[in-house]
Amino acid sequence: MKIALIGYGNLGKAIAKCLSRKHEIIATKRNLDVKAKSKRIEITNNNAYAVKNAECVIIAVKPKDISPVLDEIKDYVENKLVISFVAFVSLKEIKSKINARVVRAMGNIGIELGKSFVAYYTENGEDEKVLSLLSLMGKVYKAENEREIDLMTVFSGSAPAFVARLIDAFVLAGLKHGLNAELSKELALSIFNTTAELLKCETTESLIKRIATPGGTTIEGLMEMEKHRVVHGIASSIGKAVEKIFKKE
Ligand SMILES: NC(=O)c1ccc[n+]([C@@H]2O[C@H](COP(=O)([O-])OP(=O)(O)OC[C@H]3O[C@@H](n4cnc5c(N)ncnc54)[C@H](OP(=O)(O)O)[C@@H]3O)[C@@H](O)[C@H]2O)c1
């Protein structure tokens, strides 16, 4: 299938990388200052041309840039599937400008690996095409309302940046205690992956109980985490990002 991808920036490139494994992409950006990394990706600055020649449209521009994009494509999208990854812009706002089968979606940069958490919301019925495209990007979740999609801007979109900082903390601690940088990073990545796998089948409390023996090293570290209110600090940092979503309303 030919897909028009409006916005070939950080997220757009991840989407193109993912979908070009199976589909042909006509990606657009204003400045033609990058080259496509695959023969299945064509890059142009002509939104109308991209949409006219595609069966489906994906929008990945910044919120401030969506309005002129919708004006440019409105004559060519009638009844086509349009998936918007644009943060904060509601279905109502999009549908007030175009007559199309609009779906809102939100994921993260892990889309390039096909490993994002991708949420979508639509007021249309089930659409096989939506599921088949989004499932190439990772784990798909059908949101119950648009507010969940707004929350996903932080809990899926921003989250890899937060986790990257946590991984940094593990790497720094390793370095401080004499592990070399490469080993320290390899260890941190392995620990995050393994913990995520283990937690698929047990609660955090049960996992911690199996590791923290009385009077041992783990409980020493956990007590120090309590002292520094690490959990509170992380939850409150994520909370700040969430506040920013709803300030935009
Ligand atoms: N980055 C992430 O990890 C992430 C995660 C989840 C959601 N999102 C959402 O994805 C959207 C894009 O974010 P981003 O980080 O990818 O932004 P970005 O890197 O700034 O990319 C935006 C792209 O849109 C293009 N663009 C702007 N106006 C256009 C127009 N009229 N026609 C065609 N292309 C146009 C820009 O082209 P030029 O380069 O030529 O200006 C640029 O390539 C945002 O709504 C954001 O909230 C991003």
Side-chain angles (χ1 to χ4, degrees), residues 6-12 28-33 45 47 59-63 65 68-69 72 85-88 106-109 153 156-158:
I6 314 291
Y8 190 62
N10 290 308
L11 187 68
T28 73
K29 67 194 303 296
R30 292 168 297 196
N31 308 304
L32 297 180
D33 50 5
N45 55 11
N47 290 333
I59 309 180
V61 297
K62 294 273 193 212
D65 293 322
V69 165
E72 276 178 63
F85 278 87
V86 182
F88 321 125
M106 190 47 67
N108 61 49
I109 215 87
T153 313
S156 179
S158 312

Side-chain angles (χ1 to χ4, degrees), residues 24-49:
E24 280 180 61
I25 312 293
I26 311 175
T28 73
K29 67 194 303 296
R30 292 168 297 196
N31 308 304
L32 297 180
D33 50 5
V34 289
K35 286 209 169 96
K37 292 203 172 114
S38 151
K39 282 188 184 146
R40 291 177 122 177
I41 306 173
E42 175 187 348
I43 303 176
T44 166
N45 55 11
N46 188 333
N47 290 333
Y49 158 83

Side-chain angles (χ1 to χ4, degrees), residues 186-232:
E186 201 182 327
L187 259 168
L189 296 183
S190 159
I191 297 307
F192 272 73
N193 275 327
T194 306
T195 309
E197 282 301 313
L198 287 165
L199 288 177
K200 281 181 185 167
C201 6
E202 70 180 305
T203 63
T204 47
E205 284 317 313
S206 121
L207 178 66
I208 291 170
K209 206 169 155 201
R210 291 202 292 139
I211 304 168
T213 47
T217 53
T218 311
I219 192 64
E220 201 68 28
L222 286 171
M223 295 291 285
E224 195 66 8
M225 284 175 98
E226 281 289 305
K227 188 170 128 193
H228 291 286
R229 303 185 75 213
V230 170
V231 174
H232 174 84

